[in-house]
Amino acid sequence: MLLVKKIFSVLRNPSLFRTMAIMAFFLMLVQVNRVGGGVLASELSDGYSLSPTMIGLVIGSMFFAAAVVQVPVGLMLDSFGARRTLVGLSVIAVSGMILIGFASGAAELIIGRILVGIGHGASITGVYLLAVVWTSPERVSTVAAITIAVGGALGGILGTAPLAISFETLGFSDTFVLLAIASLFSSFLIWKLIDDKNSFTDKPKASEGLAGSLVGFFEVLKDRNLWPIFAMALCFSFPFATIGGLWASPFLQDLHKLTSVEAGGIILAMAFGVNLGTFLYGPLDRIFNSRKWIVLSGVMTMIISLLILAAMPAASLILVTILLTLFSVASPIFVTLAGHARGYVHETRSGRVLATVNFLGVGFIFVVQFLTGSLFEVLLNLGFSTEIIYRIIFLVVAVLLTFGLIFYSFSRDVRPTTIETKS
């Protein structure tokens, strides 16, 4: 009931609703590239005959690029605002999609994925900062969560079974060309219809230049209160990106003998789980007046789900689907974690602290995807069965999450009311 009231409060503000509706459409297309990694992995294996290591490199390169670009993205968001930054970068993403569509080998695929990663590097942070502009401080997490959940849910639909069907019917090239056209249209809507109220907080200080802006980044990095949160930031994105975005489809095809379309259906359920979780996380910090314990509970749920999958990877398909979906529901901790991080800094550093969180989280996707891809190939060459290998992959992800949970447990909770006081 509380969530329904929050949604209606968004609808009552036409400017807020228009802004978030356009951003949800934009995020839907961003999410196709992110969630579609599982479907794309099968296409890369069948159509390009790439090894598991190379597939991990292709899929992960987008996330690596998105991480590297977070430092300039943070400066751009604080200096030029969300609207200009999102549209400018989106042109780069569109060129990457076109390159992927006409790629003849791994090199072009990697370059294309890198361009997409750069072009979409400001998407989630941009939504969060637009929510800061258009709503009151205590409602920012809820509004951002609703927008990310709606866009993510729609993108999750398109990036799973429908994407696999599109590859089979339209072909690889035409699918990516259509995605590029739709992305270009969404950028046009942002440019023409979204007003960020010239809210980029560092505009009055434009004379500080790049050096002064970088000082702001170093000030964020030196804040020891943020270090445990940065440890958890490493873990906010790689679990679902690695399991749902890379290994779920091969796992379901290898161990449970599903077709790519059937596996895409289960990945679709996982994508719905992620977006259901995003909806749930939105108001939870207000309900329980805590951010730290909401994040810790979600991470513990992910760890337990992964440990059960590691123990019983060949269990019934129903149980496996339930575990993968539960894992997915618990995974979208970003909005709550972002609120926790932002609670430590002044609003003039919001873009930079969120960009740092994104840098760590998105960058670690590349590390873990490349690690698990290399691990899969090495163990396969050593004669390990695929069942054992998938057990190890689930266990590796669970162990990494456990380390993040331990470090994050030392953080000081920043309750929602603190944001309002600090802003």
Side-chain angles (χ1 to χ4, degrees), residues 12 44 75 104 117 131 138 166 190 206 224 274 330 374 376 378 383 408:
R12 283 196 297 268
L44 296 179
L75 298 176
S104 59
E138 70 274 9
S166 181
I190 293 173
R224 295 195 176 191
V274 169
S374 301
F376 188 103
V378 169
Y408 181 69

Side-chain angles (χ1 to χ4, degrees), residues 1-60:
M1 183 61 68
L2 179 61
L3 179 58
V4 173
K5 290 181 180 179
K6 293 289 186 181
I7 294 174
F8 277 109
S9 68
V10 174
L11 295 175
R12 283 196 297 268
N13 185 336
S15 296
L16 172 62
F17 176 71
R18 182 181 67 183
T19 298
M20 293 303 149
I22 293 172
M23 289 309 302
F25 176 60
F26 175 77
L27 283 177
M28 175 187 75
L29 300 170
V30 172
Q31 193 74 350
V32 171
N33 285 289
R34 291 181 175 174
V35 175
V39 175
L40 185 60
S42 298
E43 188 71 19
L44 296 179
S45 177
D46 298 337
Y48 289 88
S49 301
L50 300 184
S51 67
T53 300
M54 188 57 66
I55 291 173
L57 183 60
V58 171
I59 301 297

Side-chain angles (χ1 to χ4, degrees), residues 89-237:
L89 291 176
S90 184
V91 175
I92 299 175
V94 168
S95 66
M97 293 175 215
I98 294 174
L99 181 58
I100 292 171
F102 293 99
S104 59
E108 292 96 332
L109 290 166
I110 291 172
I111 294 172
R113 292 279 290 181
I114 288 173
L115 292 175
V116 173
I118 293 171
H120 289 162
S123 56
I124 299 296
T125 310
V127 170
Y128 196 91
L129 291 182
L130 285 170
V132 170
V133 169
W134 283 105
T135 191
S136 56
E138 70 274 9
R139 295 174 57 227
V140 167
S141 291
T142 299
V143 170
I146 291 172
T147 306
I148 294 168
V150 171
L154 296 173
I157 294 172
L158 294 178
T160 51
L163 183 62
I165 294 171
S166 181
F167 283 151
E168 289 186 0
T169 55
L170 297 179
F172 190 81
S173 297
D174 288 348
T175 296
F176 273 98
V177 169
L178 287 175
L179 185 59
I181 293 172
S183 298
L184 194 61
F185 177 66
S186 71
S187 300
F188 173 78
L189 293 179
I190 293 173
W191 182 256
K192 295 296 290 186
L193 299 178
I194 284 184
D195 179 11
D196 56 10
K197 294 184 176 180
N198 295 325
S199 63
F200 31 103
T201 52
D202 283 356
K203 185 179 179 182
K205 301 180 183 179
S207 60
E208 71 178 0
L210 178 61
S213 296
L214 289 174
V215 168
F217 257 116
F218 288 122
E219 288 176 356
V220 167
L221 293 174
K222 288 190 300 182
D223 188 344
R224 295 195 176 191
N225 289 317
L226 288 167
W227 290 0
I229 296 176
F230 290 157
M232 182 52 68
L234 292 170
C235 303
F236 85 77
S237 195

Side-chain angles (χ1 to χ4, degrees), residues 83 104 117 128 152 168 213 215 255 288 341 355 359 395 403 407 412:
R83 173 174 164 269
S104 59
Y128 196 91
E168 289 186 0
S213 296
V215 168
L255 262 65
F288 294 100
F359 168 77
L395 188 60
F403 280 118
F407 284 109
R412 175 176 58 84

Side-chain angles (χ1 to χ4, degrees), residues 231-290:
M232 182 52 68
L234 292 170
C235 303
F236 85 77
S237 195
F238 88 80
F240 184 81
T242 301
I243 301 300
L246 179 59
W247 292 113
S249 183
F251 162 69
L252 292 167
Q253 292 181 68
D254 290 344
L255 262 65
H256 295 273
K257 308 305 178 185
L258 302 185
T259 66
S260 61
V261 174
E262 290 170 339
I266 294 179
I267 298 172
L268 176 59
M270 294 176 67
F272 272 121
V274 169
N275 293 288
L276 173 62
T278 306
F279 270 119
L280 295 176
Y281 274 113
L284 285 180
D285 60 347
R286 297 287 298 167
I287 293 172
F288 294 100
N289 197 30
S290 173

